[in-house]
Amino acid sequence: LEHTASGLEIGDISGAIDYRHGHGLRARELKAALWGQPLRAQIGPGPVAASGRRSMKLQARAAVTSASVQRWLRLPALAFADGSSEWELSIDWPAGGSGEPPRLLLRSDLQGLAVTLPPPFGKSAEQLRALEVRTEASESTRNWRVRYANLATALFESGHRDLRGRVVLGDGAISRRTLPEQGVSISGQLQQLKVQDWLSTVERIQRLEHAAGREFDNAWTLTVQGLRVLELDLFGQVLRRPVLDLSMVEQRWQLGWRHPRTAGRLRLPISGEPYQFDLDRLYLPLAGASLKLVERAPADGLLAEIDPGSLPHARVHIDQLKFDQQALGQWSFTTVPGRRRL
């Protein structure tokens, strides 16, 4: 049994199937195999289509490994999931001649599947986290709608042109009218974000895509536009309510941020090169509290909470640097971190 729109194939089907004119196919206990794992299914009448004719519905349950889903969708980034979980599958085939596309629905609570993404998207194998995938297809395109608990909603469209899609973090609805012309755009809101963790994640995705022979280029672009973050950890320094952007500039990822006390861009390195910070402004302290400018901070003072090992090897340029309302002009320097010193 093949669902052409999604590339899903179910084999080794056995069981009694009944057909009656005007009622279509019916089966109560079917056994089959999905990606080598046992599957139990039933076939019966589905909802009435817009044409007034009743569709046929297949419902199934199977334990599926993350490796099988990764091979099916051909997305190396799914390597962040590891394990096996129980899935519910539902496919509606509209009546012949209706002209309507088949609809597929996948659901799982992801128990048994560990997701090694930074908070809040990561989870242990024991935790429950609802995931729902819906797909519809026409003659030229295939649409995927994904919902990951209350953390993210996504709509992807693939067809004769390149993949395009939109992801909204947090609550939000997506219509096809809001999809970008190409690539995938991310927006919405996050409670917290630690830049170091996500930079490591992006670098891992790049390595996985490179190993699979799929490079991030102009044919497949990922951008973050106007992402609101309630608490941003920028290499140990906390910003409240900044707005983030991420894009590919000259074959390098560039992270931009906007905040009343700091604004700038961070370009990710290639092959061990240092990070490159280009700041329009940096007003210290970032929290806005009043501090005195001192030549040497005491051990429990201004710099006590900064771990030199957490700071990256970087080239830094600052157009406007202020410390406690005192303008210190334009600065350029390089940081080289060590175990206990910078």
Side-chain angles (χ1 to χ4, degrees):
L1 184 63
E2 181 178 357
H3 185 246
T4 307
S6 65
L8 187 67
E9 293 185 9
I10 300 173
D12 298 332
I13 301 174
S14 64
I17 299 178
D18 177 62
Y19 173 78
R20 295 184 184 181
H21 182 69
H23 295 276
L25 296 177
R26 297 197 180 193
R28 292 190 175 182
E29 289 292 334
L30 286 179
K31 295 180 180 179
L34 175 63
W35 300 317
Q37 300 296 317
L39 176 147
R40 293 185 176 275
Q42 61 183 20
I43 300 175
V48 177
S51 62
R53 304 177 67 179
R54 186 173 293 279
S55 63
M56 181 182 71
K57 178 186 285 290
L58 178 143
Q59 294 176 295
R61 294 181 66 91
V64 177
T65 65
S66 59
S68 298
V69 178
Q70 181 181 341
R71 287 192 296 269
W72 173 41
L73 296 179
R74 299 186 297 278
L75 293 175
L78 291 177
F80 288 98
D82 182 42
S84 175
S85 59
E86 191 81 10
W87 288 80
E88 296 180 7
L89 167 67
S90 174
I91 303 178
D92 287 330
W93 277 276
S98 68
E100 298 179 35
R103 296 178 296 275
L104 179 146
L105 171 63
L106 276 171
R107 284 180 177 151
S108 176
D109 60 14
L110 301 185
Q111 187 173 30
L113 198 70
V115 179
T116 56
L117 286 173
F121 302 100
K123 61 175 286 295
S124 67
E126 293 74 24
Q127 288 179 303
L128 303 181
R129 189 73 58 80
L131 177 65
E132 181 178 287
V133 180
R134 296 176 180 267
T135 180
E136 293 184 357
S138 65
E139 293 183 357
S140 59
T141 63
R142 182 193 306 171
N143 299 326
W144 301 84
R145 289 189 179 273
V146 182
R147 185 166 184 84
Y148 184 45
N150 61 345
L151 299 174
T153 303
L155 172 60
F156 301 99
E157 180 182 274
S158 62
H160 300 311
R161 298 184 303 173
D162 299 315
L163 171 74
R164 65 176 187 151
R166 184 166 176 234
V167 180
V168 175
L169 304 182
D171 291 329
I174 305 174
S175 69
R176 293 186 66 247
R177 295 190 302 272
T178 64
L179 293 180
E181 286 298 319
Q182 65 175 6
V184 177
S185 68
I186 301 175
S187 60
Q189 178 172 298
L190 279 179
Q191 292 291 324
Q192 59 181 346
L193 187 149
K194 190 173 182 179
V195 169
Q196 283 174 287
D197 291 346
W198 282 101
L199 290 180
S200 299
T201 299
V202 170
E203 290 172 354
R204 185 181 173 191
I205 291 176
Q206 286 181 299
R207 290 194 299 270
L208 290 168
E209 296 284 342
H210 178 73
R214 295 172 50 165
E215 299 288 350
F216 285 103
D217 54 25
N218 293 331
W220 198 99
T221 57
L222 173 68
T223 59
V224 175
Q225 299 177 331
L227 177 63
R228 304 181 304 277
V229 182
L230 299 185
E231 184 176 291
L232 174 69
D233 186 328
L234 186 64
F235 297 103
Q237 301 300 296
V238 176
L239 290 178
R240 309 289 182 184
R241 299 182 182 276
V243 178
L244 303 184
D245 300 299
L246 178 71
S247 60
M248 182 70 79
V249 178
E250 298 177 353
Q251 301 302 313
R252 299 190 187 193
W253 287 107
Q254 178 172 283
L255 172 69
W257 64 91
R258 304 186 298 278
H259 183 270
R261 301 193 67 80
T262 179
R265 293 154 298 283
L266 164 62
R267 297 185 69 181
L268 271 63
I270 297 178
S271 302
E273 297 176 357
Y275 288 87
Q276 184 174 326
F277 288 85
D278 187 4
L279 279 67
D280 300 323
R281 63 178 178 272
L282 177 61
Y283 301 160
L284 297 174
L286 291 176
S290 177
L291 293 174
K292 293 182 179 180
L293 182 60
V294 294
E295 294 182 0
R296 183 180 298 275
D300 59 349
L302 172 64
L303 303 178
E305 295 183 358
I306 299 179
D307 176 13
S310 70
L311 299 176
H313 180 201
R315 294 191 182 99
V316 183
H317 176 80
I318 308 171
D319 276 339
Q320 299 179 40
L321 177 63
K322 288 185 180 181
F323 190 95
D324 197 24
Q325 304 301 319
Q326 181 176 349
L328 300 179
Q330 187 180 88
W331 287 63
S332 294
F333 54 89
T334 299
T335 61
V336 182
R339 290 186 58 190
R340 301 284 299 177
R341 66 177 62 186
L342 181 68

